[in-house]
Amino acid sequence: LKPFFEEATGINVEIEVLPLEQVLQKLTLDVASGLGTYDTYYLDQSWMAAFNGDVDDPRELYAAKPDLAMPNYNFDDFLGPLVDGISMYNGIMVGVPYDIPIFIMMYRGDVYKELGLSVPTTMGEYMSNAQTIQAADLGHLNDDGRPIYGCNGQMKSGHYSLECDWTHFLWAHGGSVTNPDGTFAGGDAQGIAGMEYWAKLKESMPSGVTSWTWDGQGQDILQGGSAQTCSWGEFFPWWDSDESKVQGKMEAARVPAPVALRNTSDCGYGEIPGVGHQGGSSLAVSKYSKNKDAAWLFAQWATSYETQVYITALGGGTGPTRAGVYEDERIKANAKRGIGGTTRHLDVVRDTIFNDMGSEPDLPEWADLSSNAIPIELGRYWAGEYSSPKDCMNRIGEIFNKAAGV
């Protein structure tokens, strides 16, 4: 869609597409130098606190530059939970909500029908379904005869994806990353229960999960390898595309209810426990930009109603961040089975945003902790270097508390 913006404005746009971890590296270098190499930043929600001082509040830009204000831009159309969860830090709006990858449950309808399974509504039922699928011989449901596993994960050591799976199981068992006093909470009884559940569930996963990020996890189901997962809803249209071996076979549902759920008031740094782990991002204008007016025009266009409609209808994937887009007739028209841009999962995505969304703690050190220290130690646990979940959590607690200065 970039050429449409360039033709309308005469502004040339260069977009550097990189893996998420490299985006963080480039962003860190750019703000450290203050050179303004990049005019806009893709800010993952886990980096928001770290870079809140390096961007301009879009509400202030909109008010200060009325001649650049996009007609009918409507800040109020952005879904409220997303504004709070991915764009706000200490009263500062660090960017405009751009995308919302979020955990939903996705499963193969043909496998569930074959085994007479019901959609799980509890974590215990999800485990039971995984074990039932794992014990069955289901290769005949795949054209190539490959075995079908009970579930999968994104558990590569040292990668943010592993941290995402951890927080999902942590929150699902009544735990949290933080205590109200800002100290690490992941080693309490609820945190250990989450780790133990995860370890048991891993018995129904392919052995490759410890080498997979989200890419490997998505490819596994694309090729027919696993029958269910709690992971990013943006996978769903890909699995309905022509390149998928499970085209038209996948179904979407809300993640099973947590065993217990900790209140936000019992956490620190604005953490919001929820089984629908969100990985949303904002599009932010750099304070160091040498082309700030052009950057602000682009940020508005890229997050505008019409652009979101086209991105969603043409590419599918991540859910829209604007409320109105979910009800647009062009989006509803794509709610068809077996097409690459399907939107038939978006009602589940929206329900998850309002009812199940979990958001990680907002502290400046979290960008590094969540992308490096925590998944490194979790990787060591899965490699057998810790004798127990408690030992692993104790070590992560030491690292976290030192980094946070508590």
Side-chain angles (χ1 to χ4, degrees):
L1 295 176
K2 178 170 73 83
F4 292 100
F5 174 79
E6 293 177 325
E7 182 178 348
T9 63
I11 297 170
N12 181 54
V13 179
E14 295 181 9
I15 299 175
E16 193 169 351
V17 180
L18 298 165
L20 190 65
E21 60 271 20
Q22 292 184 31
V23 175
L24 177 58
Q25 293 168 4
K26 294 262 188 176
L27 176 56
T28 301
L29 290 172
D30 195 58
V31 301
S33 68
L35 293 177
T37 304
Y38 301 97
D39 298 302
T40 59
Y41 296 144
Y42 176 96
L43 282 185
D44 186 86
Q45 49 81 32
S46 63
W47 314 336
M48 182 171 57
F51 299 106
N52 75 92
D54 302 294
V55 297
D56 288 317
D57 189 318
R59 299 169 302 182
E60 295 178 2
L61 289 172
Y62 195 83
K65 298 177 180 290
D67 54 322
L68 298 179
M70 190 171 185
N72 303 313
Y73 185 68
N74 191 8
F75 277 95
D76 293 336
D77 189 41
F78 290 111
L79 294 169
L82 299 187
V83 174
D84 293 337
I86 67 178
S87 293
M88 299 299 298
Y89 178 73
N90 285 348
I92 299 169
M93 194 174 193
V94 300
V96 281
Y98 179 66
D99 67 2
I100 182 57
I102 195 167
F103 274 33
I104 62 174
M105 186 200 157
M106 295 163 285
Y107 63 97
R108 280 183 61 164
D110 60 334
V111 170
Y112 269 51
K113 182 178 180 180
E114 178 87 1
L115 298 175
L117 299 175
S118 299
V119 178
T121 58
T122 67
M123 298 304 292
E125 290 172 358
Y126 183 77
M127 174 76 78
S128 178
N129 282 3
Q131 292 170 333
T132 299
I133 295 165
Q134 185 71 11
D137 183 2
L138 299 171
H140 62 281
L141 295 179
N142 284 332
D143 291 340
D144 59 5
R146 74 168 58 201
I148 298 176
Y149 290 84
C151 59
N152 71 4
Q154 45 179 5
M155 297 166 56
K156 183 177 181 178
S157 178
H159 195 276
Y160 177 58
S161 60
L162 175 55
E163 187 275 341
C164 294
D165 272 7
W166 168 64
T167 49
H168 165 67
F169 294 113
L170 172 71
W171 291 332
H173 287 80
S176 60
V177 179
T178 58
N179 289 306
D181 63 2
T183 58
F184 182 72
D188 63 15
Q190 292 80 9
I192 300 305
M195 289 289 289
E196 290 173 345
Y197 177 95
W198 191 12
K200 186 66 175 176
L201 190 66
K202 185 176 177 291
E203 296 174 6
S204 297
M205 299 181 189
S207 59
V209 291
T210 52
S211 65
W212 294 344
T213 67
W214 35 68
D215 293 328
Q217 181 183 42
Q219 281 284 350
D220 170 59
I221 290 183
L222 187 84
Q223 300 301 324
S226 297
Q228 62 177 15
T229 195
C230 293
S231 192
W232 311 110
E234 62 186 333
F235 284 142
F236 199 86
W238 185 34
W239 294 337
D240 245 12
S241 71
D242 290 342
E243 67 176 297
S244 173
K245 293 184 178 179
V246 294
Q247 186 177 31
K249 297 178 180 179
M250 298 300 294
E251 306 293 344
R254 282 171 57 183
V255 173
V259 175
L261 193 64
R262 186 164 292 175
N263 291 325
T264 299
S265 60
D266 294 324
C267 308
Y269 309 105
E271 180 182 356
I272 306 172
V275 288
H277 178 112
Q278 63 95 354
S281 69
S282 295
L283 199 59
V285 176
S286 168
K287 274 191 174 180
Y288 316 110
S289 170
K290 302 179 183 68
N291 306 289
K292 195 164 291 189
D293 287 354
W296 173 227
L297 281 173
F298 178 75
Q300 291 178 87
W301 173 83
T303 57
S304 67
Y305 180 93
E306 284 297 315
T307 301
Q308 283 208 4
V309 167
Y310 284 117
I311 289 173
T312 306
L314 294 176
T318 182
T321 60
R322 288 183 170 274
V325 176
Y326 287 85
E327 297 300 326
D328 192 283
E329 290 303 319
R330 292 164 291 182
I331 300 305
K332 290 184 175 182
N334 264 27
K336 300 173 182 176
R337 186 177 300 274
I339 63 170
T342 189
T343 57
R344 63 188 180 93
H345 64 304
L346 287 186
D347 285 346
V348 173
V349 169
R350 180 173 53 184
D351 286 349
T352 301
I353 290 169
F354 280 102
N355 297 293
D356 303 321
M357 191 172 81
S359 296
E360 296 168 348
D362 295 330
L363 67 158
E365 297 79 13
W366 185 247
D368 182 62
L369 286 165
S370 62
S371 296
N372 293 298
I374 292 174
I376 286 172
E377 298 307 317
L378 289 170
R380 292 181 60 203
Y381 170 75
W382 292 117
E385 295 181 29
Y386 283 105
S387 60
S388 69
K390 184 66 174 177
D391 287 345
C392 178
M393 289 298 103
N394 285 345
R395 178 57 184 149
I396 291 175
E398 292 172 357
I399 295 170
F400 180 96
N401 292 341
K402 181 178 180 180
V406 292

